[in-house]
Amino acid sequence: MQPLNPPSIRPPFARYSHGVEVPAGQRLVYCSGQLGTAADGTIPEDARAQADLCFANIEAILAEAGMTLADIVRINAYVTDRAHMKAYMESRDAHVGTPPPASTLMIVSGFTFPEFKVEIEVVAAAV
């Protein structure tokens, strides 16, 4: 992937790229939004633990296509409170490759169950 961060605009606020170019011929995988729930249905209280579980779930989905978290080119993430932004961003930064993917983070009013604090969806690309 080729990060696109033109010098004519303000640099990204955090560890993400303004845009990402995917070379022709690469396969794309679109992951549905993943919530911070373990395979046994448990949901940790902590936003960072939920975000880490989201990325673990995404990692398993990408592995089914022979890809890894390093192949992520786009992230859309949602948190239920500004207080969860830091925990999400720490998790994102620990799990994504370099160069960082394009990324959007939004604050939403909630998810299907009130216990959820984070949801993450991605697009990945690889040969």
Side-chain angles (χ1 to χ4, degrees):
M1 96 174 156
Q2 174 65 42
L4 304 171
N5 293 305
S8 60
I9 65 175
R10 181 186 167 103
F13 289 103
R15 190 171 178 271
Y16 64 89
S17 297
H18 280 306
V20 172
E21 180 181 8
V22 176
Q26 292 214 335
R27 298 177 300 119
L28 296 175
V29 171
Y30 295 84
C31 292
S32 295
Q34 297 299 303
L35 294 162
T37 183
D40 65 3
T42 58
I43 303 167
E45 174 66 26
D46 180 65
R48 170 66 192 260
Q50 286 191 21
D52 288 341
L53 269 173
C54 292
F55 279 109
N57 293 341
I58 290 166
E59 185 173 35
I61 294 164
L62 294 178
E64 289 285 306
M67 294 184 187
T68 70
L69 294 174
D71 296 312
I72 295 172
V73 297
R74 173 86 179 127
I75 300 173
N76 288 329
Y78 313 89
V79 295
T80 56
D81 193 290
R82 283 189 201 287
H84 306 314
M85 289 173 59
K86 183 176 189 246
Y88 158 73
M89 291 169 70
E90 288 172 350
S91 180
R92 178 199 62 197
D93 293 351
H95 290 96
V96 300
T98 299
S103 183
T104 297
L105 174 59
M106 292 178 268
I107 300 168
V108 297
S109 63
F111 301 115
T112 52
F113 295 104
E115 298 89 347
F116 291 122
K117 296 178 169 110
V118 180
E119 183 171 351
I120 304 169
E121 60 186 32
V122 306
V123 177
V127 178

